[in-house]
Amino acid sequence: MAQKDRPWLFRTYAGHSTASASNALYRSNLAKGQTGLSVAFDLPTQTGYDSDHVLAAGEVGKVGVPVSHLGDMRALFADIPLDQMNTSMTINATAAWLLALYVTVAEEQGADISTLKGTVQNDIIKEYLSRGTYVFPPAPSLKLIGDIAEYCYTSVPKWNPMNVCSYHLQEAGATPEQELAFALATATAVLDEVRPRVSAEDFPGLVARISFFVNAGIRFVTEMCKMRAFVDLWDEICKERYGVEDPKLRRFRYGVQVNSLGLTEQQPENNVYRILMEMLAVTLSKKARARAVQLPAWNEALGLPRPWDQQWSLRMQQIMAYETDLLEYDDLFDGNPAVDRKVEALKAGAREELARIDDMGGAVASIDYMKSRLVESNSDRLAKIERGDTTVVGVNAFTGGEKSPLVDEQGGIMTVDPAVEQEQIDRLNDWRAGRDDLAVRRALDELRTAAREGRNIMPPSIACAKAGVTTGEWGTAIRAEFGEYRAPTGVSKAVSNTATGLDDLREAVGDVAARLGRPLTFLVGKPGLDGHSNGAEQIACRARDAGMDVIYDGIRLTPEQIVAAAREGRAHVIGLSILSGSHLPLVRDTLARLAAENLSVPVVVGGIIPEEDADQLRADGVARVYTPKDFELNRIMFDLVELADPDRIIAAE
């Protein structure tokens, strides 16, 4: 028996409402035995907007903490010594800005920034593919990643400047082979970018600072083999592609959050077992064990977890690490022929996909290709659940049972007070009023000049943080130089060759289209800043395959833009997809704009929507509300056909 290993970092992905409320949550979690921080930022912060921007309406403090300026960052880490902390910040497009704020607060605390430990995710390619919090086009985005890597290597050497994130790739439908290949292609794109920035002697050390953030699904044997494949392939790439000779510098270092996509609204107590089984995939194999683990809470398919729910997930980690004998043994799977065969098969599939991406010119040049593959894979995954080929307990099998006592009269989740948004805006206005405007203008001018001239963005970003610049002002300055970008949707116009079992649905669509006198037109809209587009893409694909004309322009649209598209496209039904918790204000805004233009178009809404909110939406005039429990896409399609039927409309009148 080998010497007992140290446990991985225990983290909880957390942040909501306000910086001060999130700070209290962090300090409480640390007191419960959490050993690292994992910061969730709200969508305006992630996309470079201030809390009072039109696109931020309804989004402030919903999926994370709003950080609009240095004052917010100070409040977020008050009484938390950053030189003693290991902090992961899930931030991508605005990573340079949030790191600048973090470094500034650490300096104010008296820390030697060269000792800071932590990670910025800083993976923009997966944002184009799966999560949607991108801002800038690929080329300048890759340069920003390089700027952060170069700055960290010289000034914050213990900090991980990039966390290649395959987590959201799996959430978007990636197979294990695709997850391996797309993540490794992203890592090589970044290393190719930063390689010219440092000496050949120093480059292996920079390679060693690249870390990964992965997903682990319920097929935990396959997922464990995937992690062993990651270890082997990364070692191979570092040695053969980049000439890194020291094995220690070729180590595959990763953190993990296990799969949130597989958590179910139905029988949500079952999610506890799912989370536990998925954690086994990233802890059982010593060779491929995670360096840091954060687990979702059992009720994340219902809404925002409460502190107790997060504590329950933390205790799961602690029991695994401290009560079992897992950390006392060498790797349990070395020499296992079944494991070896599966690992080699995954590596072969990943190498084939990597070669294809290389032939296309690398990850950035292959964004359209990778996005379309993810949409196809996700369609296949959902179809297997619908057909019953994949069993999901409580969803398409064993659906009967007792009502969960964990879901109380409040719904078993935490809700964010709507007043938080105005309070944050008030604090933002106070901040603006109390700063030196001349210093702000000078700092922003220097930031834009640095961006225009191609200089490293980190030093002027830190100067902006110290001058009192806001997140939105930083974002506006960088947008002015780099421009903005709209990623591909992955939803083609062509009907899928794999679509089957749609004959009755296509006939119904055709009948209604004949009565309408033109094709049944369905608009899929993503209002606000929510970038989780997987559901919207699958709805759009199924409607297309059913014979509808589909209008889908991707993410991050205002209600005004959606209503304009519905008017111009003469949509018969509008479907709004919102998973960020901002459904009430965004849907109401859309309904009001439709009424103002006398557009009588039925609206359906999908998202993580508590039943109380669903009742309010229906009372407001929403025709249908769908949540994750509504996994049968064909049933939703028949609902759309019914809503568009002119005979129904005449009868209703």
Side-chain angles (χ1 to χ4, degrees), residues 100-343:
L101 291 172
Y102 187 90
V103 166
T104 302
V105 168
E107 287 181 336
E108 290 181 347
Q109 290 184 355
D112 175 357
I113 66 168
S114 69
T115 66
L116 296 179
K117 295 179 180 179
T119 303
V120 279
Q121 192 165 95
N122 202 22
D123 177 357
I124 206 65
I125 293 176
K126 67 92 179 177
E127 294 298 323
Y128 300 142
L129 297 177
S130 53
R131 178 60 185 89
T133 65
Y134 56 81
V135 176
F136 316 113
S141 293
L142 204 58
K143 181 197 175 295
L144 283 174
I145 295 172
D147 286 353
I148 294 170
E150 183 181 19
Y151 167 78
C152 288
Y153 188 70
T154 57
S155 301
V156 198
K158 296 182 179 181
W159 193 272
N160 299 322
M162 195 217 183
N163 206 211
V164 180
C165 181
S166 69
Y167 175 85
H168 290 106
L169 300 179
Q170 186 178 122
E171 296 276 286
T175 64
E177 293 88 348
Q178 288 171 343
E179 187 179 344
L180 286 162
F182 295 178
L184 292 169
T186 296
T188 58
V190 170
L191 288 176
D192 289 349
E193 165 69 24
V194 301
R195 192 174 195 172
R197 295 173 179 248
V198 298
S199 68
E201 182 182 355
D202 287 342
F203 182 66
L206 193 149
V207 172
R209 297 317 310 173
I210 301 296
S211 60
F212 290 74
F213 187 74
V214 306
N215 201 330
I218 194 64
R219 293 172 59 82
F220 77 94
V221 176
T222 296
E223 295 293 308
M224 183 273 294
C225 291
K226 179 190 75 181
M227 299 319 307
R228 290 172 70 93
F230 254 132
V231 168
D232 290 350
L233 288 168
W234 183 241
D235 185 81
E236 184 178 296
I237 287 170
C238 290
K239 186 173 183 179
E240 296 180 3
R241 183 176 180 126
Y242 296 112
V244 179
E245 294 298 330
D246 187 344
K248 292 181 180 178
L249 301 182
R250 303 197 302 262
R251 287 176 179 167
F252 183 79
R253 300 178 306 114
Y254 77 98
V256 64
Q257 172 159 319
V258 305
N259 193 295
S260 293
L261 177 69
L263 302 182
T264 63
E265 181 181 1
Q266 305 94 314
Q267 301 179 16
E269 63 278 5
N270 295 343
N271 293 330
V272 175
Y273 305 127
R274 293 185 175 106
I275 294 166
L276 174 60
M277 297 300 289
E278 290 163 354
M279 183 171 65
L280 293 177
V282 295
T283 56
L284 279 180
S285 175
K286 180 176 180 178
K287 175 182 177 181
R289 184 170 295 146
R291 297 288 187 94
V293 176
Q294 58 191 45
L295 301 179
W298 68 278
N299 54 352
E300 286 194 16
L302 307 177
L304 189 65
R306 301 159 299 191
W308 181 86
D309 306 313
Q310 293 191 330
Q311 175 184 295
W312 198 9
S313 288
L314 175 63
R315 295 293 183 249
M316 193 182 300
Q317 291 202 58
Q318 291 168 327
I319 290 169
M320 178 73 76
Y322 295 124
E323 293 193 23
T324 77
D325 58 355
L326 173 66
L327 299 179
E328 297 174 10
Y329 291 89
D330 289 331
D331 199 291
L332 306 177
F333 301 100
D334 282 348
N336 183 305
V339 169
D340 289 346
R341 282 195 301 272
K342 183 63 175 177
V343 170

